[in-house]
């Protein structure tokens, strides 16, 4: 028996101890993202790191990409890229369903051993079209049906989609213990807990701050999609209540209905600066590292990638109080649940008084949430499921 222990759990494989990669290499597909290299968000970042890792281990790896993705090459660091038609730019959200359908239809022609689906919201409705041969593994993402940006009918549809994903997958991955409990309690479904990972940031470069017109530890910030459940309005209300003139950077794509609302509401406060999306990871790491306080308002979902990246970058984190954030940060974060808490944190917190929190977060990245351990845990799960299917 081959036993692999990692911080994300114990995985036992009925395989020889000496595994010949020539024998046990697999043909693997990754679906459910807009593609790699990452130009969008957390799942894309994971898909980039994980697919390159798998290719380096000798597996034949295919990552599906939107035809609208700016990177048009057919390979990326050993990973095969399959670009599928994506009409989202023309018809809106409905295009996501058609893009996922196109990816699934293409996968039927490829003779994969493993299909990893990242999320389910626009793919599980097509579950009957998934190929029968491969093992289908779904990362269940967060509780999408709780997102307040969606109307009641859409929330009901998403809950139905969640149920379909549970029903149609050969195996489920939960990226947080909260999601794992939800799957067990609601569906009686077993899942494997594997969180996201992050790379520890060790090369700060203060000169980058000049591009954003800020100076070391004299600004606060957040990075998030501008959506209601990320509590951005609550955070910015706290900034206003604190009457704090310290620059506050809001990093995230703001050309949305809610983004427009926030810009209209807070446009009269010069300290609040809407930067837009920033996808240069080195810039983001430096901005987090040199900030005074980093606010993480996410309240729906599992192990949010931006939270781990903030931990890895040496930021002092003030997080929305909920089970998802608390299960990751534990006592190494500061917490808020209303705008008055935000105002108090801005007024009373000194980064120099909280260096032990920052150090504990760095240790957690090294010991629990490093990408090597996360990638290896996924690969071991693939081996197990592939062997069980054979």
């Amino acid at each position: 028996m081959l036993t692999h222990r990692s911080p994300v759990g114990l995985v036992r494989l009925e395989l020889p101890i000496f595994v010949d990669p020539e024998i046990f290499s697999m043909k693997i597909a990754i679906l459910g993202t807009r593609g790699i290299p990452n130009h969008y968000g957390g799942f894309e970042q994971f898909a980039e790191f994980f697919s390159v890792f798998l290719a380096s281990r000798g597996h034949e790896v295919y990552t599906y990409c939107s035809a609208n993705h700016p990177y048009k090459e057919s390979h990326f660091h050993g990973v095969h890229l399959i670009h599928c038609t994506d009409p989202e730019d023309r018809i809106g959200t409905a295009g996501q369903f058609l893009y996922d359908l196109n990816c699934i239809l293409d996968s039927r022609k490829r003779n994969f051993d493993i299909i990893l689906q990242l999320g389910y919201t626009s793919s599980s409705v097509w579950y009957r079209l998934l190929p029968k041969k491969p093992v289908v593994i779904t990362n269940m993402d967060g509780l999408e049906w709780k997102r307040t940006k969606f109307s009641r009918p859409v929330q009901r549809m998403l809950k139905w989609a969640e149920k379909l994903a549970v029903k149609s997958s050969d195996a489920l991955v939960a990226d947080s213990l909260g999601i794992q409990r939800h799957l067990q309690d609601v569906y009686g479904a077993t899942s494997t807990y594997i969180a996201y990972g992050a790379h520890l940031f060790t090369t700060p470069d203060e000169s980058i701050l000049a591009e954003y017109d800020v100076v070391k530890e004299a600004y606060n910030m957040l990075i998030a999609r501008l959506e209601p459940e990320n509590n951005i309005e609550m955070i910015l209300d706290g900034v206003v209540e604190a009457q704090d003139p310290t620059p506050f950077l809001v990093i995230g794509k703001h050309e949305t209905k809610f983004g427009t609302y926030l810009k209209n509401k807070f446009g009269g406060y010069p300290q609040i600066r809407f930067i837009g999306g920033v996808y240069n990871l080195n810039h983001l790491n430096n901005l987090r590292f040199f900030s005074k306080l980093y606010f993480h308002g996410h309240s729906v979902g599992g192990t949010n990638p931006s939270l781990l990246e903030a931990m890895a970058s040496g930021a002092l984190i003030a997080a929305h109080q909920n089970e998802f954030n608390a299960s990751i940060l534990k006592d190494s974060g500061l917490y808020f649940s209303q705008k008055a808490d935000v105002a108090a944190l801005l007024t009373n917190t000194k980064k120099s008084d909280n260096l032990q929190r920052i150090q504990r977060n760095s240790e957690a990245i090294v010991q629990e949430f490093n990408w090597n351990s996360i990638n290896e845990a996924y690969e071991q799960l693939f081996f197990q499921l592939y062997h069980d299917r054979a």
Side-chain angles (χ1 to χ4, degrees):
M1 177 182 291
L2 175 64
T3 301
H4 170 75
R5 180 177 291 277
S6 80
V8 293
L10 184 65
V11 179
R12 293 186 178 87
L13 309 179
E14 299 293 338
L15 294 172
I17 291 177
F18 299 104
V19 179
D20 185 343
E22 293 293 328
I23 298 174
F24 289 101
S25 63
M26 295 170 284
K27 187 174 183 180
I28 299 167
I30 299 177
L31 286 74
T33 80
R34 287 169 168 79
I36 65 171
N38 177 28
H39 283 267
Y40 187 74
F43 266 154
E44 285 74 15
Q45 189 70 77
F46 166 67
E48 177 180 332
F49 288 151
F50 184 47
S51 61
V52 171
F53 166 83
L54 288 173
S56 74
R57 303 276 273 203
H59 301 292
E60 187 177 350
V61 188
Y62 296 76
T63 296
Y64 281 84
C65 304
S66 166
N68 302 325
H69 195 285
Y71 187 83
K72 303 298 185 184
E73 304 299 323
S74 59
H75 291 83
F76 180 78
H77 296 296
V79 179
H80 302 270
L81 305 184
I82 303 172
H83 292 84
C84 288
T85 301
D86 177 4
E88 184 181 2
D89 60 333
R90 300 191 302 277
I91 64 174
T93 301
Q96 297 178 21
F97 290 83
L98 296 177
Y99 167 61
D100 281 338
L101 171 62
N102 291 332
C103 295
I104 289 171
L105 291 176
D106 184 89
S107 74
R108 295 167 62 90
K109 303 181 289 186
R110 303 280 180 171
N111 197 35
F112 292 120
D113 298 312
I114 299 283
I115 289 180
L116 174 63
Q117 296 188 116
L118 300 177
Y120 61 84
T121 54
S122 53
S123 63
S124 64
V125 295
W126 311 115
Y127 77 93
R128 293 183 187 277
L129 297 174
L130 285 163
K132 304 304 181 186
K133 174 185 177 279
V135 179
V136 177
I137 305 162
T138 303
N139 180 312
M140 292 300 292
D141 198 9
L143 305 178
E144 296 301 300
W145 48 270
K146 277 193 170 183
R147 295 189 183 275
T148 54
K149 70 175 181 177
F150 297 127
S151 65
R152 288 291 180 86
V154 172
Q155 288 177 328
R156 287 195 293 269
M157 186 277 293
L158 290 172
K159 200 163 188 178
W160 174 68
E162 179 184 79
K163 183 177 180 179
L164 289 181
V166 171
K167 172 184 176 181
S168 61
S169 303
D170 296 306
L172 305 175
V173 172
D175 62 35
S176 84
L177 296 175
I179 297 297
Q180 188 177 52
R181 284 191 294 271
H182 167 76
L183 295 173
Q184 179 64 48
D185 293 345
V186 176
Y187 304 105
T190 299
S191 59
T192 301
Y193 166 55
I194 309 178
Y196 285 99
H199 293 299
L200 199 64
F201 178 59
T202 58
T203 56
D205 178 3
E206 193 173 344
S207 67
I208 287 173
L209 300 183
E211 297 188 35
Y212 300 89
D213 192 27
V214 291
V215 296
K216 176 181 177 181
E217 295 184 17
Y219 64 96
N220 303 297
M221 65 179 294
L222 65 81
I223 300 174
R225 294 180 188 174
L226 272 58
E227 297 175 353
E229 64 272 9
N230 290 338
N231 290 294
I232 298 167
E233 185 173 14
M234 178 195 295
I235 295 168
L236 298 182
D237 279 339
V239 173
V240 173
E241 183 170 310
Q243 299 183 345
D244 183 1
T246 304
F248 194 105
L249 308 186
V250 180
I251 298 179
K253 185 178 179 181
H254 50 68
E255 294 82 6
T256 63
K257 181 179 179 180
F258 189 65
T260 299
Y261 163 76
L262 291 174
K263 286 185 290 184
N264 288 337
K265 178 174 179 178
F266 297 105
Y269 299 94
Q271 73 270 42
I272 298 175
R273 305 178 187 176
F274 290 89
I275 304 298
V278 176
Y279 301 103
N280 184 314
L281 187 56
N282 184 49
H283 282 211
L284 293 175
N285 279 332
N286 276 286
L287 285 168
R288 286 183 285 236
F289 179 85
F290 289 111
S291 66
K292 177 186 174 187
L293 266 175
Y294 175 92
F295 284 85
H296 181 80
H298 296 62
S299 61
V300 176
T303 307
N304 189 273
S306 64
L307 177 56
L308 294 180
E309 289 173 358
M311 293 167 64
S313 67
L316 176 58
I317 301 169
H320 181 264
Q321 179 73 63
N322 61 69
E323 68 168 321
F324 301 110
N325 294 336
S327 68
I328 300 300
L329 282 171
K330 301 181 176 65
D331 62 351
S332 299
L334 306 168
Y335 293 97
F336 64 90
S337 57
Q338 55 187 338
K339 65 180 182 180
D341 299 334
V342 173
L345 287 169
L346 289 169
T347 303
N348 302 323
T349 304
K350 293 183 179 180
K351 191 170 185 178
S352 59
D353 293 340
N354 290 275
L355 298 181
Q356 287 188 342
R357 296 180 192 272
I358 296 170
Q359 180 60 33
R360 287 197 299 269
N361 280 332
S362 297
E363 291 169 356
I365 296 299
V366 172
Q367 296 168 10
E368 296 183 56
F369 301 111
N370 69 84
W371 273 119
N372 284 339
S373 293
I374 302 303
N375 288 337
E376 287 174 4
Y378 266 99
E379 185 188 35
Q380 291 297 315
L381 178 63
F382 287 8
F383 274 135
Q384 175 182 319
L385 296 168
Y386 176 63
H387 178 263
D388 290 346
R389 174 66 65 87

